[in-house]
Amino acid sequence: QFSLFLAAQEHPNIMLTKAGIDNVRKGCTQYPLLQQSFAQVKDAADKAVEGKINIPVPKDGGGGPSHEQHKRNYQNVLACGVAYQISGDAKYASYVRDVLLGYAAQYEKWLVVHPKSKASNQAGRIFWQILNDCVWQVNVIQGYDMVYDAITPRDRKTIENKLFVPVLKFITENSKETFNRIHNHGTWAVAAVGLTGYVLNKPDYVEMALKGSDKSGKTGYLAQLDQLFSPDGYYTEGPYYQRYALLPFVIFAKAINQYQPERHIYEYRNKVLEKAINTSLQSTYSTGVFFPINDAIKDKTFESAELVYGVDLIYAEMGGKADLLDVAQKQGRVIVSDAGLKVAKDITEGKAKPFQYKSLIITDGAAGNEGGLAVLRSGSNNDQQCLVFKAASQGMGHGHFDRLNILYYDNGSEVFSDYGAARFINIESKNDGEYLPENKTWAKQTVAHNTLVVDKTSAFKANLNEAQSHYPEILYFKGDGEVQAVSAREDKAFPGVSMVRTSVLLHLPELTKALLVDVYKAESSAAHTYDLPFWYNGYVTDASFKINAFTDQLRPAGTKYGYEHLWMNSNDSVPGGSGYITVMNNKRFYTTHFAGGSVLNVKTVSLGANDPNYNLLNAKAFILSRSQSHDQTFISITESHGLVDAIAETTTGAKSTVSGLKVIKADRDGTSFSFEVQGKVYQLIMNYTDKNNFIQLIK
Amino acid sequence: QFSLFLAAQEHPNIMLTKAGIDNVRKGCTQYPLLQQSFAQVKDAADKAVEGKINIPVPKDGGGGPSHEQHKRNYQNVLACGVAYQISGDAKYASYVRDVLLGYAAQYEKWLVVHPKSKASNQAGRIFWQILNDCVWQVNVIQGYDMVYDAITPRDRKTIENKLFVPVLKFITENSKETFNRIHNHGTWAVAAVGLTGYVLNKPDYVEMALKGSDKSGKTGYLAQLDQLFSPDGYYTEGPYYQRYALLPFVIFAKAINQYQPERHIYEYRNKVLEKAINTSLQSTYSTGVFFPINDAIKDKTFESAELVYGVDLIYAEMGGKADLLDVAQKQGRVIVSDAGLKVAKDITEGKAKPFQYKSLIITDGAAGNEGGLAVLRSGSNNDQQCLVFKAASQGMGHGHFDRLNILYYDNGSEVFSDYGAARFINIESKNDGEYLPENKTWAKQTVAHNTLVVDKTSAFKANLNEAQSHYPEILYFKGDGEVQAVSAREDKAFPGVSMVRTSVLLHLPELTKALLVDVYKAESSAAHTYDLPFWYNGYVTDASFKINAFTDQLRPAGTKYGYEHLWMNSNDSVPGGSGYITVMNNKRFYTTHFAGGSVLNVKTVSLGANDPNYNLLNAKAFILSRSQSHDQTFISITESHGLVDAIAETTTGAKSTVSGLKVIKADRDGTSFSFEVQGKVYQLIMNYTDKNNFIQLIK
Ligand SMILES: [Zn+2]
Ligand SMILES: [Zn+2]
C-alpha cells in the first residue's frame, strides 16, 4: 500500500489540467482548430443541457435504445465537463452532477448480469458486455474530474459511494477475469479503474490497475504494455483493434504522467506507447483508412477519436514531429486539452508538414520475432501505391486465416482488397450489431483473402489454437530503391505444403507508376489443388482469353471453408497457362499479367451464396487455379495504367504496356522470369536461398 | 443568295472577339477562375507545341489510338488558338497552321467511308462516324479563326481549299442525310458547316446550316430549334443528350449573334436556347449529376464542357442570374472568352448565390403537349431530396421503355436509381466503346426501371415506333407546399391496362425529411401479373418479413424483356400483403413501407444473368409482385431516416418512425390510406377524377 497522491487534491488533472486551463481557455478564441473543436463540444453540451436527463434501465443489445442512451449519457457528461471548464458556466456542472446522481440512485438496483449478455463476453451492468461499461466509466470519470470542484462534498459522497465505488468493485470483482486479461478489453478495464483510482484518490485501485488484481505485475496495465505490443508498437490483433485499444492506453498514460510523473510512463519499454501511435498511423493508406486485416470495420480512418487523442498527445508531450500536424488537420479537430492547444497553435503558426508515409516492416510478437506486417509505398500522398503484406501472427480471436495475404491500394482506392469483418456495427436488426455468423464462415476463411488456398480448405483448417501457435518467417524486406520487396515463408498453414510469397513494387524508368510483381511459390511432395484469389474492385473490361460467364444458372463454388459463399461465375482454361485480365476501377485500369504453368484455369466468383439473411456485401474475385500440382509457382505483374475521365468522356492508356511475361525458371530454389515494357526486356530473379542476393533486376 | 458578312473581315469573332480580346487578356491576370482556366488551356497548348505533330491515317473505332489522336489534335488546335490570342506568342499559331496544313495534305486522300464505320450511323472520314468529324470541325474552325491573322494568305488558301472546303462538301453532300436530320447529330453538322461558313465568309454554307441543304427551312439549325426542344427547352432524348446537344447550339448561336446580330438568335422562339440551358441545369441532382434517364452515362455532371459554355453564355449574354455563378464555381473553370471574363469577374466580386434548384415540370414535345419530366425537390443543396418522375415521351432511339418511371435521390446519393446506358464509353475492348448489346436487352427494358411491368413484358413490347407514337398524360402537378405531388396516366404501354401513378414528397411537422409517397394504380378487365421494381443502392438491413434468399442455386427470373438478365435471389409471400423493407445506403436508412392487396410477394433480384461477356454492372432491386390480379394498387411510403457514423461507430434512428400503413380505399376513382408517424395518424386521399381536389392530406 502506498501513500495518497499529492496531485489528487487537484481537479481537473487528466487531459485538461488546472495548470493549463487558462491557456486552453484563451486558445479556444485564438486558434481555429481548437476553437472549432470546442464549438463542437459546447454544441453537444448545450444540446445535453437543454434536453431531459434519461437514464433507462439497461435492456437492449448493441445499437438498441437503452444502449445508445447510455452511450449518449457518457458523451454528454464528458462534453459538459469540458464545457464547464472552458466556459465556467455552472449549468454544465449541474448537468453532470444530476446525471451522476441519477445513475447513483439506480446503479446498485440494476441486474449484475445484463439481460442481453452473451456467453462470449463477460456481462456488463449498464451495457450487454463489460467492455462498454468500462468505456462508459473512462469517459464519465473524466467528466466528473472536470466538475469536481463545482459539486458539493455531500453530492460527491453520494456519487462516489453509490456509483463509482460500486463500479470499481464490479469491474475488479464481478469482471475480474476481464480485468486481468492481457487483451484490449482488459485495457479498458484497467484504465477505467486506474483513472477512477486517481480521481477518487484510491491508490489501491491504481495499483491494481497497473499491476493486476493481485498486484503481482503479471497482469494489469504495465504487463499489457509489455505483452500486447511488439517492440515496434504493433498490436497483434491488427490495426483496427490497435486503434481501438490505443485510447485507454493513451488516456491512462496521460493520467499516470500527471499523478505519478516519477513513473516515466512515456519512456516505458523504449517509448512503446509513442511507437504504438506511430505504427497505428503507418497502418493506414494515404486516405487515412486503416488496413482492414483481421476483424475490421472498413470505413474506419485515423479521424477516429482514438487517434485524435493519440496524435495530440505524442505531438504535445512526446516530441512528435511536425508531420503529425498534417494528420491533425485531416482529423479536423483536437482534444480540448493542454495537448490540443499546442497542436492547434502550431497549425495556426503554419508548422504543418505532409505526413511522412513510409515503407516499413512492423514486427509482431512481444519479442518482435513472430513475423510482421510489411508495407511498401510509392508516390505522393495524393496518388499513393501501397502494398500491405501480412506475414504477422494470427492475432488471437479476431485474427483471420490469411497467411501471406496482400492488400493493394492505388489512386485513393482499394485495388485488391480484404473483406474485413462481416458485421453491421451497431445495427440492431443485424445480430444486434455484433459479428455475424458469416464472419466465421466467410470473412475469416482463407479464400476471402488474396492468398493461396490449398485443396479448398483454410490455413490451419481454420483452427484458432493451431494458427495461434505458428507464425510466418520473414525472409527479406527492402523498403526503398527501384526494387522494393518483401518475402516470407509459411510452412505450417497447410500440412505438407511449404509456401514462399514475394511481393515487389518495381519502379521502371518507362513507367510513372510502379508495377506490382507478385510471386507465390508452393512446394509439396503430394498433389494439391491451388487457388490464388485476387479480390478486385471495379469491372473486368478486358482479358487475353475468353471469359465465359455462366449464363443461366449459378452454383456455389464449394461446400465449406468459405467456398459455400461463392457463386461460381466462370471457369475457363487459359491456353499456355498465362495471360492477362484487366479491371477498371475508379477511373483507372489494372492489368494483371499472370503465368502459372502449362495448364491454368481462371475462375471468377462473386460473394453471396448460402447467405439466407443477406448478411454479405458485394465482392468479386478472379482466381488463378491449378489442380493436381505438386510444386506450383504463380507469377503476376499488375500494372496501374490509363485514365477514364467521365466528365470529358475521354479514355487514355486503356491497354497495358507490359507484355511477353515468360517464365525462365520456377523451382524450389528460385524463380526467374522476363517481361517487356515498351519494347524493353526486363528480367527478375529471386533466389530463395540467398538472403544477400534475394532479388535481382536485370535490364 | 445574300451578300458577304461585314464582320467576316474580323478574326477572331466567335467566343473570343477582336473587340473583347484586350479585356480578356487583362482578366487572365486579374480574376482567379479565368486565370486558372487560361493556365489549363495554356498548359495543354504548351504540351501540344512541345510534342510532335501526329496525323494518323484514320483507322480505329471509338477509344482506339487513331480516334484518340484525332480528338487530341482538335483539342490542341483549339487550345493553341486561345493561347495565341491571349499570349500573342507566334509559336502557338505556327502549331495550328502546321497541324492544319498536315490535315490539308492528307484529308482528300483518306477513304470517304471510314474502315470502322457501322450501318447504324453515317460514316465519317476522320472518325468512324460523321458525328465526330463534325465535332472535330466545330473545334478546329474556332482554332483557325483565332490564328487567322497569323497565317499567310498562301497557307490559308491551302488550308481552306484542301481541308475546310472538302470538309464542308463532305458534311453537306456525303453526309447530307445527317446534315438534314432533326437530331443532335444534325446539330453538330449544321454548327460545323455554319461556323465554317462564317469564318471562311461563305454565306451559302451559312444559309444551308440555318435552313437545310435546300434552304427551305424544313431542316437546319432554326428547324432544329423549333422541333428538338419543347417550349420549356426540354430535349426529347433526355438530359444526357440534351447536354451533349447544347454545345453546337450554343457555339453556333454565339457566332450567329456576332456575324448577324440582326437575327436576334438569343430571342428566337421565346428565348428557347436560354430555356434549354436552364432546363439542362434543372435536370441535375444537387451533386450536379444529370438525371440518367434514357441512354445516359451516369457520372456525367454539369461540370462537362457543354455546360461551361452554356452557363458562361447565358450569364454573360442572356441576362442570367447570379445563382449561375454558383454553378460556374463548381465547374471550376470558364471558357477563356468574353463571356468567361464576365463570369470570372463577377465571382471575384462576390456576386455568386447558391444555385436555385426548383420543383418543376418540364414539358416535352415541340408543342409542349407530349407529357413531361417532373422534378420535386426538398431541402438545401447540401442534403436534397429529389424525385424525378418520367412522364415524358419516348425520346426517340435513345429512349427507354420506362413510362412513369421514378428516380429518387437523397443525401447526395441515388436511392432508387436508373441503370442508364449499358456502355463502357470509349473503352475499345468493350464493343469499341459503343452501346453494348445489353443496352437493348437490358437497359432499355421496363424491368430495368422503377416502374410497373405487366406480365413480364416491356412497355409497348419494347417496340420503338409504337412507343414513339404515344405519350403519357400529366394529371396533376404541384411543386410547393407540404404536399408536393405529380400524377400521370399511361394507357397505351400495356394493351388493356390503364395506369396512373402519383408520387408525393410529403412534409410532416414530426419529420425533418419529407416522406416519398408513391401510389401506382393499374386497371384491367383481364388478369395480369404486376411487378413493381425498386432499384436500390446499398444493403437490406431489415424487413418486416423473413427474406429467404436462395442459398445453393440461382436461376434467371425469366427469358426475355430484361428478366433474362436478373438472378432471382428470393421470392417471399408477405402476410397480409403489407410490410416494410429497410435499406442502408451511404450512412442513411431508407425504409419502404408498402401495401398491395391481400396476397403480395416481394422478390429480390440482382443483375448479371445471361451476361457471358461481363457487360453488366452490379444492380439490385426488390420487386413488389402480384399475379392473377385485375385492378391493382401498390402504395409505398419511403422514409429517409437515421445516421451511421462509421468513424465514431455510432448509429442513430435505424428504425423507421412510420407505421400502421392501412389501405382505406383503392379503386378506379381514388386511393386513400392512413399511416402513423410518431403516434399521429395521417390520411392521404387521391381523387383521380377531380383535378381541383386531386390530393388531400387529413391530419
Ligand atoms: Zn481478412
Ligand atoms: Zn433507363
Side-chain angles (χ1 to χ4, degrees):
Chain A
Q1 187 79 21
F2 51 67
S3 62
L4 300 187
F5 310 116
L6 286 173
Q9 304 309 321
E10 248 179 50
H11 299 275
N13 199 28
I14 305 175
M15 295 303 297
L16 275 174
T17 63
K18 197 156 192 164
I21 192 67
D22 282 344
N23 284 330
V24 177
R25 270 180 204 147
K26 250 179 271 163
C28 283
T29 66
Q30 288 174 295
Y31 309 120
L33 203 55
L34 184 60
Q35 197 169 19
Q36 292 155 27
S37 302
F38 176 62
Q40 279 172 20
V41 172
K42 187 168 173 298
D43 191 52
D46 287 337
K47 284 213 180 79
V49 167
E50 284 156 23
K52 240 185 100 191
I53 291 174
N54 175 8
I55 303 170
V57 175
K59 178 169 151 270
D60 304 306
S66 78
H67 179 102
E68 292 298 323
Q69 183 59 44
H70 287 298
K71 208 162 156 182
R72 266 193 299 278
N73 285 347
Y74 78 62
Q75 291 163 344
N76 289 344
V77 163
L78 184 59
C80 286
V82 174
Y84 172 67
Q85 280 295 329
I86 303 298
S87 74
D89 190 332
K91 71 180 175 186
Y92 301 113
S94 303
Y95 176 87
V96 173
R97 178 198 62 211
D98 294 346
V99 169
L100 296 181
L101 286 172
Y103 273 97
Q106 293 194 60
Y107 182 80
E108 291 183 298
K109 295 177 195 156
W110 291 340
L111 298 172
V112 290
V113 176
H114 188 284
K116 281 282 171 83
S117 71
K118 298 184 182 180
S120 54
N121 295 59
Q122 279 197 290
R125 202 161 178 179
I126 306 173
F127 298 93
W128 70 274
Q129 61 172 346
I130 182 65
L131 169 64
N132 300 76
D133 282 45
C134 295
V135 173
W136 186 92
Q137 180 63 16
V138 165
N139 282 275
V140 162
I141 194 64
Q142 292 181 76
Y144 179 67
D145 181 38
M146 287 188 271
V147 303
Y148 188 94
D149 291 340
I151 304 185
T152 63
R154 183 196 153 103
D155 284 341
R156 288 205 298 254
K157 200 172 154 191
T158 307
I159 291 165
E160 295 190 4
N161 290 345
K162 294 299 211 174
L163 178 61
F164 292 144
V165 171
V167 166
L168 286 173
K169 286 193 174 149
F170 187 81
I171 298 173
T172 54
E173 293 170 21
N174 299 52
S175 309
K176 190 173 179 173
E177 199 190 303
T178 299
F179 183 75
N180 286 325
R181 254 180 108 184
I182 306 289
H183 181 275
N184 81 66
H185 290 200
T187 312
W188 281 102
V190 300
V193 168
L195 289 170
T196 309
Y198 281 129
V199 173
L200 269 52
N201 206 4
K202 294 185 179 298
D204 203 43
Y205 278 105
V206 172
E207 188 75 356
M208 283 161 71
L210 289 168
K211 297 185 175 169
S213 58
D214 65 359
K215 301 177 193 163
S216 69
K218 278 184 206 140
T219 69
Y221 186 73
L222 299 176
Q224 288 173 8
L225 276 176
D226 288 335
Q227 294 173 50
L228 284 179
F229 295 104
S230 79
D232 288 342
Y234 182 74
Y235 181 70
T236 190
E237 294 191 296
Y240 176 78
Y241 277 97
Q242 168 138 7
R243 159 207 63 77
Y244 187 63
L246 271 180
L247 188 55
F249 273 114
V250 166
I251 297 176
F252 193 21
K254 171 72 165 132
I256 296 168
N257 200 50
Q258 289 299 123
Y259 283 88
Q260 300 185 286
E262 68 278 10
R263 285 192 175 275
H264 301 290
I265 192 68
Y266 297 155
E267 308 295 320
Y268 191 79
R269 205 187 163 207
N270 294 314
K271 306 187 174 181
V272 71
L273 200 58
E274 181 185 345
K275 285 180 183 164
I277 297 166
N278 280 322
T279 288
S280 191
L281 293 173
Q282 291 293 344
S283 301
T284 64
Y285 179 51
S286 53
T287 54
V289 165
F290 289 102
F291 302 141
I293 57 173
N294 297 335
D295 286 346
I297 303 298
K298 290 191 71 170
D299 294 338
K300 207 76 183 179
T301 70
F302 61 38
E303 294 162 51
S304 75
E306 300 86 353
L307 266 291
V308 180
Y309 274 88
V311 165
D312 288 2
L313 210 65
I314 49 172
Y315 183 75
E317 306 213 347
M318 305 182 198
K321 301 255 169 62
D323 66 332
L324 290 169
L325 298 175
D326 181 22
V327 176
Q329 280 178 310
K330 284 176 183 145
Q331 290 171 333
R333 61 188 170 130
V334 292
I335 305 302
V336 179
S337 64
D338 304 13
L341 169 68
K342 183 163 165 57
V343 169
K345 179 170 182 287
D346 286 1
I347 285 174
T348 307
E349 290 170 1
K351 294 185 182 166
K353 290 185 179 158
F355 183 65
Q356 293 293 304
Y357 276 108
K358 290 174 186 158
S359 292
L360 79 175
I361 191 156
I362 305 162
T363 59
D364 193 3
N369 61 356
E370 300 178 11
L373 191 71
V375 186
L376 304 178
R377 304 190 199 248
S378 170
S380 73
N381 289 3
N382 292 327
D383 187 3
Q384 187 187 76
Q385 288 175 282
C386 175
L387 179 86
V388 182
F389 187 115
K390 195 190 177 207
S393 66
Q394 184 65 20
M396 309 202 288
H398 288 299
H400 287 193
F401 299 97
D402 58 352
R403 291 297 150 102
L404 311 190
N405 186 29
I406 59 169
L407 284 72
Y408 182 47
Y409 298 84
D410 180 40
N411 190 29
S413 301
E414 291 183 311
V415 178
F416 298 133
S417 59
D418 190 305
Y419 188 85
R423 181 178 188 185
F424 287 84
I425 196 161
N426 279 328
I427 297 181
E428 212 182 358
S429 55
K430 287 293 192 184
N431 197 26
D432 285 337
E434 278 308 297
Y435 290 102
L436 296 162
E438 290 75 11
N439 195 52
K440 197 174 163 192
T441 61
W442 164 249
K444 287 186 174 182
Q445 301 295 332
T446 305
V447 73
H449 299 89
N450 305 302
T451 191
L452 195 68
V453 183
V454 179
D455 297 331
K456 295 193 166 199
T457 63
S458 275
F460 305 101
K461 297 249 184 323
N463 178 306
L464 174 59
N465 287 337
E466 192 60 28
Q468 191 65 36
S469 57
H470 303 286
Y471 41 82
E473 177 195 359
I474 290 162
L475 300 178
Y476 182 80
F477 177 81
K478 186 161 185 294
D480 55 12
E482 62 184 350
V483 187
Q484 287 191 47
V486 54
S487 183
R489 173 190 300 280
E490 169 61 58
D491 290 340
K492 305 288 186 183
F494 298 97
V497 181
S498 170
M499 311 185 298
V500 172
R501 182 176 216 168
T502 310
S503 297
V504 181
L505 281 188
L506 182 63
H507 299 78
L508 299 180
E510 290 82 5
L511 300 173
T512 48
K513 307 285 292 183
L515 296 174
L516 166 60
V517 180
D518 183 55
V519 177
Y520 212 130
K521 174 180 77 87
E523 290 175 29
S524 181
S525 54
H528 296 285
T529 296
Y530 295 107
D531 280 351
L532 181 58
F534 290 81
W535 287 95
Y536 67 90
N537 290 281
Y539 292 95
V540 171
T541 56
D542 199 9
S544 61
F545 57 100
K546 173 92 181 70
I547 297 177
N548 297 290
F550 298 132
T551 56
D552 66 345
Q553 187 183 206
L554 292 187
R555 298 302 294 260
T559 58
K560 51 193 169 180
Y561 292 113
Y563 280 80
E564 72 273 28
H565 291 300
L566 302 179
W567 296 116
M568 178 81 92
N569 294 113
S570 68
N571 185 357
D572 294 288
S573 145
V574 178
S578 76
Y580 69 81
I581 189 162
T582 302
V583 169
M584 180 177 68
N585 179 33
N586 189 18
K587 297 164 190 170
R588 205 166 275 179
F589 297 91
Y590 298 90
T591 296
T592 301
H593 301 263
F594 56 83
S598 53
V599 276
L600 179 77
N601 272 37
V602 174
K603 301 169 182 176
T604 60
V605 295
S606 55
L607 190 59
N610 284 292
D611 180 23
N613 299 315
Y614 270 174
N615 283 343
L616 293 172
L617 307 180
N618 296 332
K620 293 183 289 188
F622 59 89
I623 301 179
L624 307 182
S625 185
R626 279 293 301 265
S627 54
Q628 289 296 318
S629 184
H630 291 73
D631 290 4
Q632 171 64 31
T633 302
F634 290 110
I635 300 169
S636 71
I637 302 176
T638 299
E639 184 190 5
S640 162
H641 57 98
L643 171 71
V644 177
D645 182 337
I647 304 297
E649 292 190 352
T650 55
T651 301
T652 52
K655 286 262 176 209
S656 174
T657 57
V658 173
S659 64
L661 173 59
K662 279 201 196 81
V663 183
I664 296 164
K665 170 182 137 155
D667 62 24
R668 296 188 170 197
D669 295 338
T671 307
S672 77
F673 53 95
S674 65
F675 57 93
E676 283 181 39
V677 177
Q678 294 173 16
K680 186 157 161 54
V681 178
Y682 288 95
Q683 188 181 345
L684 260 182
I685 303 174
M686 298 174 187
N687 310 296
Y688 302 123
T689 55
D690 183 357
K691 292 200 181 188
N692 295 318
N693 191 24
F694 200 89
I695 299 190
Q696 256 185 289
L697 174 69
I698 298 179
K699 305 177 193 184
Chain B
Q1 184 81 20
F2 50 68
S3 62
L4 299 187
F5 310 116
L6 285 173
Q9 304 308 323
E10 249 179 47
H11 299 275
N13 199 28
I14 307 175
M15 296 303 296
L16 275 174
T17 62
K18 197 155 193 165
I21 192 67
D22 282 344
N23 284 330
V24 176
R25 271 182 204 146
K26 251 180 270 163
C28 283
T29 67
Q30 288 173 297
Y31 308 120
L33 203 55
L34 185 60
Q35 196 168 20
Q36 291 154 30
S37 302
F38 176 62
Q40 279 172 21
V41 172
K42 187 168 173 297
D43 191 51
D46 286 339
K47 284 212 180 79
V49 167
E50 284 156 23
K52 238 185 102 190
I53 290 175
N54 176 6
I55 302 170
V57 175
K59 178 170 152 271
D60 304 307
S66 78
H67 179 101
E68 293 299 323
Q69 183 60 43
H70 287 297
K71 208 163 157 181
R72 265 192 300 277
N73 285 348
Y74 78 62
Q75 291 163 343
N76 290 343
V77 163
L78 183 59
C80 286
V82 174
Y84 171 69
Q85 279 296 329
I86 304 298
S87 73
D89 190 331
K91 70 180 174 186
Y92 301 113
S94 303
Y95 176 87
V96 173
R97 179 199 60 212
D98 293 347
V99 170
L100 296 181
L101 286 173
Y103 274 96
Q106 293 194 59
Y107 183 81
E108 291 183 297
K109 295 177 194 154
W110 292 339
L111 298 172
V112 290
V113 177
H114 189 284
K116 282 281 170 83
S117 72
K118 298 183 183 181
S120 54
N121 297 58
Q122 279 197 290
R125 201 161 179 180
I126 308 173
F127 299 93
W128 69 275
Q129 60 173 346
I130 182 64
L131 168 64
N132 300 76
D133 282 45
C134 295
V135 173
W136 186 93
Q137 180 63 16
V138 165
N139 282 274
V140 161
I141 195 64
Q142 292 181 76
Y144 178 68
D145 181 39
M146 287 188 271
V147 303
Y148 188 95
D149 290 341
I151 303 186
T152 63
R154 183 196 154 104
D155 284 341
R156 288 205 298 254
K157 199 173 156 192
T158 306
I159 291 165
E160 296 190 4
N161 291 344
K162 295 298 211 172
L163 178 61
F164 292 144
V165 171
V167 165
L168 286 173
K169 287 192 175 148
F170 188 80
I171 297 174
T172 53
E173 294 170 21
N174 299 52
S175 309
K176 189 172 180 177
E177 197 189 306
T178 299
F179 182 75
N180 286 325
R181 254 180 107 184
I182 305 289
H183 181 277
N184 81 68
H185 290 201
T187 312
W188 281 102
V190 300
V193 169
L195 289 168
T196 309
Y198 281 128
V199 174
L200 268 53
N201 205 3
K202 294 186 179 298
D204 203 42
Y205 278 104
V206 172
E207 189 76 357
M208 284 161 72
L210 290 168
K211 299 187 174 168
S213 58
D214 66 359
K215 300 177 193 164
S216 70
K218 279 185 204 136
T219 68
Y221 186 74
L222 299 175
Q224 288 173 9
L225 277 176
D226 287 334
Q227 295 173 50
L228 284 180
F229 294 104
S230 78
D232 288 342
Y234 182 74
Y235 181 70
T236 191
E237 293 191 296
Y240 176 78
Y241 277 96
Q242 169 138 7
R243 159 208 63 76
Y244 188 63
L246 272 180
L247 189 54
F249 273 114
V250 166
I251 295 175
F252 193 23
K254 171 72 165 134
I256 296 169
N257 200 50
Q258 289 300 123
Y259 283 88
Q260 301 186 286
E262 68 279 11
R263 287 192 175 275
H264 301 290
I265 192 70
Y266 297 154
E267 308 295 319
Y268 192 80
R269 202 185 164 206
N270 294 315
K271 305 187 177 182
V272 70
L273 200 59
E274 181 184 346
K275 285 180 184 164
I277 297 166
N278 279 321
T279 288
S280 191
L281 293 172
Q282 290 293 344
S283 301
T284 64
Y285 180 49
S286 53
T287 55
V289 165
F290 290 102
F291 302 141
I293 58 172
N294 296 337
D295 285 346
I297 303 299
K298 289 190 71 169
D299 294 338
K300 208 78 183 177
T301 70
F302 61 37
E303 294 161 52
S304 75
E306 299 87 353
L307 266 292
V308 180
Y309 274 88
V311 165
D312 289 3
L313 209 65
I314 50 173
Y315 183 75
E317 307 213 345
M318 306 181 197
K321 302 254 169 64
D323 68 331
L324 289 169
L325 299 175
D326 181 22
V327 176
Q329 280 178 310
K330 284 176 184 145
Q331 291 171 334
R333 61 187 169 129
V334 291
I335 305 302
V336 179
S337 64
D338 304 13
L341 169 69
K342 182 161 165 59
V343 170
K345 178 170 181 287
D346 286 0
I347 286 174
T348 307
E349 291 171 0
K351 294 185 181 164
K353 291 184 180 159
F355 182 66
Q356 294 292 305
Y357 276 109
K358 292 175 184 155
S359 292
L360 79 173
I361 192 156
I362 305 161
T363 60
D364 192 4
N369 61 355
E370 300 177 11
L373 191 71
V375 186
L376 304 179
R377 306 191 197 246
S378 171
S380 73
N381 289 2
N382 292 326
D383 187 3
Q384 186 187 78
Q385 288 174 283
C386 175
L387 179 85
V388 182
F389 187 117
K390 195 190 177 207
S393 66
Q394 184 65 18
M396 309 201 288
H398 288 299
H400 287 195
F401 300 97
D402 59 352
R403 292 296 150 104
L404 310 190
N405 186 29
I406 59 169
L407 283 72
Y408 183 46
Y409 298 84
D410 180 41
N411 190 28
S413 301
E414 292 183 311
V415 178
F416 298 133
S417 58
D418 189 305
Y419 188 85
R423 180 178 189 184
F424 288 85
I425 195 162
N426 280 328
I427 297 180
E428 212 182 358
S429 56
K430 287 292 192 185
N431 197 26
D432 285 336
E434 278 308 297
Y435 289 102
L436 296 162
E438 290 75 11
N439 195 53
K440 196 174 166 193
T441 61
W442 164 249
K444 287 186 174 181
Q445 301 296 331
T446 304
V447 73
H449 299 89
N450 305 301
T451 192
L452 196 67
V453 184
V454 179
D455 298 329
K456 295 193 166 199
T457 63
S458 275
F460 305 100
K461 297 250 184 326
N463 178 306
L464 174 59
N465 288 336
E466 193 60 29
Q468 190 65 35
S469 57
H470 304 285
Y471 41 81
E473 178 196 359
I474 291 162
L475 301 178
Y476 182 79
F477 177 81
K478 186 161 185 293
D480 55 12
E482 62 184 350
V483 187
Q484 286 191 47
V486 54
S487 184
R489 173 192 300 280
E490 169 62 58
D491 290 340
K492 306 287 187 183
F494 298 98
V497 181
S498 170
M499 312 185 298
V500 173
R501 183 175 215 167
T502 311
S503 296
V504 181
L505 282 188
L506 182 62
H507 299 79
L508 299 179
E510 290 83 5
L511 301 173
T512 49
K513 306 286 290 184
L515 296 174
L516 166 60
V517 180
D518 183 55
V519 177
Y520 213 130
K521 175 178 78 85
E523 290 175 28
S524 182
S525 54
H528 295 285
T529 295
Y530 295 107
D531 280 352
L532 181 58
F534 290 80
W535 287 95
Y536 66 90
N537 289 280
Y539 291 96
V540 171
T541 57
D542 199 8
S544 61
F545 57 100
K546 173 93 181 69
I547 297 177
N548 297 290
F550 299 131
T551 56
D552 67 345
Q553 188 185 205
L554 292 186
R555 298 301 294 260
T559 58
K560 52 193 170 181
Y561 293 113
Y563 280 80
E564 72 274 28
H565 291 301
L566 301 179
W567 296 116
M568 178 80 92
N569 293 115
S570 68
N571 185 357
D572 293 288
S573 144
V574 178
S578 76
Y580 69 80
I581 189 162
T582 302
V583 169
M584 180 176 67
N585 179 30
N586 189 20
K587 297 163 190 170
R588 205 167 276 179
F589 296 91
Y590 298 90
T591 296
T592 301
H593 302 264
F594 56 83
S598 54
V599 276
L600 178 77
N601 272 36
V602 175
K603 301 169 182 176
T604 60
V605 295
S606 54
L607 189 60
N610 284 292
D611 179 24
N613 299 315
Y614 270 175
N615 283 344
L616 293 172
L617 307 180
N618 296 332
K620 292 184 290 188
F622 60 88
I623 302 179
L624 307 182
S625 184
R626 280 291 301 265
S627 54
Q628 288 297 319
S629 184
H630 292 72
D631 289 4
Q632 171 65 31
T633 302
F634 291 110
I635 300 169
S636 70
I637 303 176
T638 299
E639 184 189 6
S640 163
H641 57 97
L643 173 70
V644 177
D645 181 338
I647 304 297
E649 291 190 355
T650 55
T651 300
T652 51
K655 286 261 176 209
S656 173
T657 57
V658 173
S659 64
L661 172 59
K662 277 199 197 83
V663 183
I664 296 165
K665 169 182 139 154
D667 61 25
R668 295 191 171 195
D669 295 338
T671 308
S672 77
F673 52 95
S674 66
F675 57 93
E676 284 181 38
V677 177
Q678 295 173 18
K680 185 157 163 54
V681 178
Y682 288 95
Q683 189 182 341
L684 260 183
I685 302 174
M686 296 173 188
N687 310 297
Y688 302 124
T689 55
D690 183 358
K691 291 199 182 187
N692 295 320
N693 191 24
F694 199 88
I695 300 190
Q696 254 186 292
L697 175 68
I698 298 178
K699 305 178 193 184

